[in-house]
């Protein structure tokens, strides 16, 4: 676990980076049996409205089983997100849900003990495909040579 004061981190333009073995991330393993490493970086800054922001980047290759053919499939993740920090929930909600002209992609509340790994894990989960499968997968082929009981009716009619 890594905690930061997200406002100070952003305003002081601090940076942190690392790599996660997603086979050891319980929240991700609950979704599917993924393996691989994801690199992340978080850079603090302020936006044009002088709001503190965190620029989050995640990238890497992960592997799981194709849900069509059950062979391993490699998934490339490459995402960059700007997370705006708000000091109260009403402004955060307005920026994310009410204001149609909002330039806010994602947002969090100001915290002195902000969980960095939770933010990174959330971003990885958002980037995961709904269904893990090869782009050109035909899936498993199933051939059943058993004759249909209705075949007899066809011959009678």
């Amino acid at each position: 676990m890594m905690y930061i004061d997200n406002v100070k981190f952003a305003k002081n333009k601090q940076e942190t980076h690392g790599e996660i073995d997603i086979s050891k991330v319980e929240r991700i393993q609950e979704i599917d049996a993924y393996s691989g490493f994801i690199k992340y970086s978080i850079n603090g800054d302020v936006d044009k409205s002088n709001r503190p922001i965190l620029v989050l980047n995640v990238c890497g290759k992960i592997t799981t089983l194709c849900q069509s053919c059950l062979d391993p499939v490699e998934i490339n993740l490459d995402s960059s997100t700007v997370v705006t920090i708000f000091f109260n929930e009403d402004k955060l909600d307005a920026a994310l849900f009410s204001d149609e002209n909002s330039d806010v992609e994602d947002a969090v509340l100001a915290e002195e003990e902000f969980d960095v790994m939770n933010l990174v894990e959330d971003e990885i989960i958002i980037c995961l495909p709904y269904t893990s499968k090869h782009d050109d997968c035909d899936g498993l082929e199933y051939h059943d040579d058993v004759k249909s009981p209705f075949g007899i009716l066809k011959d009678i009619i």
Side-chain angles (χ1 to χ4, degrees):
M1 292 291 172
M2 182 167 113
Y3 296 95
I4 60 171
D5 180 326
N6 58 7
V7 174
K8 286 182 182 176
F9 185 92
K11 288 188 174 185
N12 291 329
K13 299 186 181 201
Q14 292 178 296
E15 299 177 11
T16 188
H17 56 84
E19 188 174 68
I20 297 176
D21 178 354
I22 65 166
S23 67
K24 297 181 178 173
V25 179
E26 190 174 318
R27 292 173 56 207
I28 294 173
Q29 293 305 305
E30 289 174 358
I31 297 169
D32 200 351
Y34 292 103
S35 63
F37 293 87
I38 299 293
K39 292 182 180 182
Y40 69 89
S41 67
I42 300 175
N43 299 307
D45 208 343
V46 291
D47 67 9
K48 62 186 178 206
S49 301
N50 205 33
R51 298 176 297 201
I53 60 170
L54 302 173
V55 180
L56 170 62
N57 295 293
V58 296
C59 67
K61 292 181 181 183
I62 59 175
T63 305
T64 190
L65 293 180
C66 173
Q67 293 183 5
S68 287
C69 68
L70 302 178
D71 285 334
V73 62
E74 196 170 81
I75 300 165
N76 291 315
L77 298 184
D78 190 4
S79 172
S80 181
T81 304
V82 176
V83 181
T84 306
I85 301 169
F86 286 91
F87 294 93
N88 74 53
E89 206 163 327
D90 291 337
K91 289 186 179 182
L92 181 147
D93 287 345
L96 286 177
F97 307 114
S98 301
D99 186 359
E100 293 178 14
N101 298 322
S102 177
D103 60 347
V104 175
E105 286 180 49
D106 198 359
V108 295
L109 287 173
E111 290 183 50
E112 288 182 12
E113 290 189 17
F114 181 75
D115 187 344
V116 169
M117 296 317 298
N118 196 45
L119 178 68
V120 173
E121 289 173 17
D122 286 347
E123 186 65 19
I124 293 169
I125 290 169
I126 288 169
C127 292
L128 293 175
Y130 181 73
T131 307
S132 302
K133 62 184 247 177
H134 298 102
D135 291 335
D136 57 349
C137 190
D138 292 331
L140 294 173
E141 291 191 26
Y142 177 75
H143 298 287
D144 193 352
D145 293 333
V146 175
K147 293 195 177 201
S148 168
F150 299 105
I152 296 170
L153 292 175
K154 182 178 112 182
D155 294 337
I156 295 173
I157 299 177

